[in-house]
Amino acid sequence: MSKLRHHTWVLRPFVAVLAVLLLVLVSGCGGNVVTSTDTSSKAIKYTPVTLKNCDLTITYKQPPQRAVTMTQSATEVMLALGLEKHMVGTAYLDNPILPEYQQAYSQIRVLAPKYPSREVFLGVEPDFVFSTEESAFAKEVLGSREELLKLGIYSYLLPIECDRPELRPERVTMENLYQEIREIGRIFGVEERADKLIAQLQVQLQETQQKLGKVTTKKRIFWYDSEDPPLTVSNWGMPNHMIELAGGENIFKDIQKKEAWVTVNWEDVIARQPDVIVLIDANWSSAEEKRRILKSNPAYSQLKAVQQDKFIVLGFSYTMPGIRNIAGVRQLAEALYPERFK
């Protein structure tokens, strides 16, 4: 999803150093999945990696040393893999950083509250940029990935965000998250860490699914992403998949296009009468503001979910493919079917 839409809108010689990794499973729906601790290091041999990412094929002869992340989900994937020492900049928080990563995050330069200017970005002499939003490579932001490559700056873009729809996957599932983690692990030569992180995520998801069990009568959900007209989710994208895994049903699942977020009208929302409204909370669009809109407009009182205060608040950072997705499914499932999680 383009954040621009939300607001209305080199490589150098390197001897790789790896730390002994400790992955700690963190329980509870609000927390992150793992933390990593570097306690010792040893030199390893890096095997060159060639990846096709959207319409670019890039060969890495050594891991990037001066990486910049342009979105929160990208930042937290890097931190979950213990790669903070490879980072020289980060940008664009949607929600507060997870507490278990705050110390590592505080050591990295924040280039801008939103997207940095091209000048600020180039000023940290990056050799790699990782974004989960295609809008980071807009002309008015960093410029195209091809232009950056000419400057010796390699890049990785979340595959579901490829600019051409035909390059995007047919469906978005947790496999796309695992692919993202696996490919970043390969780029930085930390495949073992990536595999362990994926295994941790899979175990957490399995635990939620076991608790949830089979849901025969699914609660119908209106996913309220941002304000007026309402932006919601189609049947394609991570939010829709999260709804499915949590035992719910997206009231706009009939919108079939390779775009996760779509604009609808209030008349359709009212006609479809959701059982529950998920209010997405972000720095640029608060859940409280959306609740106020729903509560203050007499027309929306026709929604039984509004009348009965059937709201679930979920941070935006749980909705983009990243390490929070599994915890997001747990939050949704517990809020929809609390009796199954006692």
Side-chain angles (χ1 to χ4, degrees):
M1 181 179 77
S2 170
K3 288 179 178 174
L4 299 178
R5 190 186 319 157
H6 263 306
H7 294 279
T8 317
W9 347 14
V10 357
L11 295 177
R12 302 175 178 183
F14 172 70
V15 176
V17 177
L18 267 186
V20 174
L21 178 67
L22 173 63
L23 290 175
V24 182
L25 180 62
V26 177
S27 60
C29 64
N32 191 14
V33 289
V34 294
T35 58
S36 63
T37 308
D38 288 346
T39 57
S40 64
S41 61
K42 59 180 180 179
I44 65 164
K45 182 179 179 181
Y46 182 83
T47 302
V49 173
T50 299
L51 284 179
K52 181 174 176 55
N53 178 231
C54 294
D55 54 354
L56 285 182
T57 299
I58 299 175
T59 297
Y60 297 85
K61 295 183 179 180
Q62 52 268 323
Q65 284 293 281
R66 303 185 61 81
V68 172
T69 52
M70 295 292 285
T71 48
Q72 180 160 355
S73 52
T75 299
E76 291 184 341
V77 166
M78 291 284 286
L79 297 180
L81 291 172
L83 294 171
E84 58 269 17
K85 292 181 180 179
H86 292 255
M87 298 172 66
V88 295
T90 184
Y92 222 135
L93 283 189
D94 302 301
N95 303 112
I97 205 79
L98 286 167
E100 54 266 46
Y101 296 140
Q102 184 58 53
Q103 184 176 357
Y105 177 76
S106 67
Q107 304 302 310
I108 304 166
R109 180 179 173 184
V110 176
L111 302 184
K114 297 179 182 178
Y115 287 142
S117 68
R118 183 179 172 90
E119 291 72 24
V120 168
F121 169 71
L122 293 176
V124 297
E125 299 182 351
D127 59 11
F128 178 77
V129 56
F130 174 19
S131 179
T132 55
E133 297 272 9
E134 193 273 335
S135 56
F137 300 105
K139 182 179 180 180
E140 62 269 32
V141 187
L142 301 186
S144 73
R145 298 177 66 200
E146 290 82 1
E147 291 171 345
L148 293 174
L149 195 55
K150 291 177 182 177
L151 298 176
I153 303 171
Y154 293 8
S155 60
Y156 183 88
L157 176 63
L158 188 68
I160 69 170
E161 283 284 311
C162 295
D163 58 349
R164 302 207 313 269
E166 64 268 23
L167 296 174
R168 302 171 193 162
E170 291 302 315
R171 286 272 296 162
V172 177
T173 69
M174 290 300 169
E175 288 304 318
N176 299 103
L177 165 62
Y178 305 149
Q179 175 191 359
E180 173 191 357
I181 294 170
R182 192 175 293 114
E183 291 184 339
I184 293 298
R186 290 185 64 200
I187 289 170
F188 285 88
V190 292
E191 294 95 332
E192 185 176 343
R193 298 185 198 180
D195 290 342
K196 288 182 179 179
L197 176 56
I198 291 168
Q200 298 272 354
L201 291 167
Q202 291 171 330
V203 167
Q204 287 193 1
L205 181 58
Q206 184 179 28
E207 290 173 348
T208 296
Q209 297 288 280
Q210 288 174 344
K211 283 274 190 181
L212 182 62
K214 185 177 181 181
V215 179
T216 53
T217 304
K218 298 181 178 180
K219 292 185 179 178
R220 303 176 66 254
I221 293 175
F222 169 51
W223 188 282
Y224 190 8
D225 188 85
S226 56
E227 284 85 13
D228 206 359
L231 196 67
T232 189
V233 295
S234 71
N235 74 331
W236 187 92
M238 186 58 76
N240 184 75
H241 186 52
M242 290 172 64
I243 291 171
E244 294 172 340
L245 290 174
E249 181 180 279
N250 175 11
I251 65 169
F252 287 103
K253 68 177 185 179
D254 58 310
I255 299 179
Q256 300 186 18
K257 56 172 63 177
K258 285 187 177 182
E259 296 176 14
W261 284 265
V262 291
T263 300
V264 295
N265 60 66
W266 284 114
E267 289 76 12
D268 277 348
V269 176
I270 293 169
R272 297 182 188 218
Q273 281 295 334
D275 299 311
V276 178
I277 299 175
V278 174
L279 304 175
I280 298 303
D281 191 44
N283 295 336
W284 34 264
S285 176
S286 72
E288 189 54 42
E289 175 61 17
K290 288 187 274 286
R291 188 193 298 267
R292 187 196 64 75
I293 289 172
L294 290 167
K295 285 291 190 178
S296 63
N297 191 319
Y300 307 151
S301 64
Q302 300 176 56
L303 288 164
K304 292 180 181 178
V306 173
Q307 296 169 10
Q308 299 170 6
D309 283 316
K310 297 293 186 181
F311 298 117
I312 298 172
V313 175
L314 186 66
F316 178 77
S317 52
Y318 288 85
T319 71
M320 286 298 292
I323 58 170
R324 296 195 190 207
N325 292 151
I326 305 300
V329 172
R330 179 75 173 220
Q331 288 186 36
L332 285 174
E334 286 187 340
L336 291 171
Y337 309 101
E339 70 281 358
R340 301 188 181 212
F341 291 86
K342 291 179 179 177

